[in-house]
């Protein structure tokens, strides 16, 4: 699976949009971009995933650049409960391919 | 739907003792994972089951760790004997048996402290 690079930490003011970047310059054509988050003392939680088109769900939006070498997870109106470690993962869509987690980005939402 | 259940939530043991963790995945999920998460790091896969068969156990320290998933439902992960460096959170996750775009659902984990 392709390697990802994320900033170790970010701050965001409560109510503002949180934009979390991820670089995956070696991504292959059949690899998806997944985002998970892990709130303190909990297991990781799935947020969103995409291949090449932008995606949106009730939690977040995922913007993937045209060359697919980077992506941005957007939390449109961050709340204190969004404080967590956010993991960007690329993987082939296959039953036998596990999620490989890096260190992620620690997002702190500030009142 | 009920989530992935793990027990116990916390466990403290002395080095060289043995310990077992239990996981009950979401009903109907064929794929089950055990991850180890050391403080400050992302989770690392230990073993992946598809029903009751092992798909990937390449990162499982087989000299001390073992896991089973009898009947393709519940799973147990055992450490015998434990070392200090085994102190970590052990996460269980499950995925439905679909051919595309499977998301994994994680339990809350078991925090193991080896003293």
């Amino acid at each position: 699976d392709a390697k990802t690079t994320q900033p170790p930490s970010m701050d965001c003011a409560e109510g503002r949009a949180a934009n979390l970047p991820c670089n995956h310059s070696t991504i292959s054509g059949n690899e998806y971009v997944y985002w998970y988050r892990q709130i303190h003392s909990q297991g990781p939680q799935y947020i969103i995933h995409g291949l090449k088109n932008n995606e949106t769900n009730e939690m977040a939006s995922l913007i993937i650049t045209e060359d697919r070498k980077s992506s941005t997870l957007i939390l449109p109106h961050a709340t204190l409960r969004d404080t967590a470690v956010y993991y960007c993962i690329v993987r082939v869509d296959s039953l036998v391919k596990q999620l490989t987690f890096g260190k992620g980005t620690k997002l702190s939402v500030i009142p | 739907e009920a989530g992935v259940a793990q027990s116990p939530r916390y466990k403290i043991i002395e080095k060289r003792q043995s310990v077992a963790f239990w996981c009950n995945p979401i009903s109907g999920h064929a794929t089950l994972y055990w991850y180890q998460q050391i403080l400050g790091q992302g989770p690392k896969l230990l073993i992946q089951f598809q029903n009751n068969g092992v798909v990937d156990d390449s990162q499982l320290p087989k000299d001390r760790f073992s896991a089973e998933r009898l009947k393709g439902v519940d799973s147990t992960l055992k450490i015998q004997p434990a070392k200090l460096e085994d102190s970590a959170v052990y996460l269980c996750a499950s995925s439905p048996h679909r051919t595309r775009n499977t998301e994994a659902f994680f339990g809350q984990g078991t925090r193991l402290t080896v003293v």
Side-chain angles (χ1 to χ4, degrees):
Chain A
D1 292 329
K3 180 180 173 61
T4 62
T5 304
Q6 298 179 255
S9 64
M10 292 180 64
D11 292 340
C12 178
E14 186 178 18
R16 304 297 291 268
N19 297 283
L20 292 96
C22 179
N23 286 322
H24 31 79
S25 59
T26 60
I27 192 169
S28 300
N30 62 347
E31 288 183 310
Y32 287 73
V33 180
Y34 282 75
W35 283 84
Y36 279 73
R37 74 178 182 184
Q38 188 172 24
I39 295 170
H40 183 62
S41 296
Q42 297 184 22
Q45 175 192 23
Y46 167 83
I47 301 173
I48 198 167
H49 75 278
L51 182 63
K52 53 184 178 181
N53 296 321
N54 297 339
E55 302 287 345
T56 296
N57 63 19
E58 64 278 4
M59 289 182 68
S61 295
L62 173 61
I63 308 299
I64 303 174
T65 58
E66 191 168 345
D67 63 7
R68 301 209 326 120
K69 293 185 177 182
S70 66
S71 60
T72 301
L73 179 75
I74 301 172
L75 308 178
H77 306 287
T79 71
L80 299 179
R81 287 174 292 184
D82 292 322
T83 293
V85 178
Y86 287 76
Y87 297 99
C88 170
I89 301 164
V90 293
R91 67 183 279 258
V92 173
D93 184 35
S94 165
L95 285 172
V96 299
K97 294 296 288 185
Q98 73 276 13
L99 294 165
T100 302
F101 290 84
K103 291 190 175 183
T105 296
K106 168 69 172 161
L107 175 69
S108 299
V109 180
I110 301 167
Chain B
E1 63 183 3
V4 175
Q6 291 188 246
S7 67
R9 284 298 312 276
Y10 305 93
K11 189 75 175 179
I12 301 174
I13 62 172
E14 295 182 349
K15 60 184 179 183
R16 292 187 289 273
Q17 285 188 322
S18 62
V19 64
F21 312 126
W22 173 81
C23 173
N24 185 16
I26 293 173
S27 178
H29 282 195
T31 306
L32 185 147
Y33 312 85
W34 282 102
Y35 283 82
Q36 178 194 58
Q37 185 171 25
I38 293 172
L39 186 65
Q41 299 181 18
K44 182 186 84 170
L45 181 74
L46 292 176
I47 190 168
Q48 177 183 347
F49 292 94
Q50 188 69 21
N51 295 308
N52 59 349
V54 175
V55 173
D56 183 353
D57 63 356
S58 58
Q59 298 189 86
L60 186 73
K62 298 180 185 65
D63 58 333
R64 298 184 301 106
F65 286 64
S66 65
E68 62 181 8
R69 190 183 184 197
L70 299 177
K71 301 180 182 179
V73 182
D74 293 4
S75 177
T76 56
L77 176 70
K78 298 179 181 178
I79 308 175
Q80 181 179 10
K83 293 185 175 181
L84 296 177
E85 59 260 36
D86 298 331
S87 294
V89 175
Y90 291 85
L91 295 160
C92 179
S94 68
S95 294
H97 183 78
R98 294 199 296 259
T99 56
R100 294 182 62 82
N101 300 335
T102 55
E103 62 179 274
F105 296 82
F106 284 80
Q108 289 192 295
T110 295
R111 180 177 298 277
L112 173 67
T113 302
V114 183
V115 298

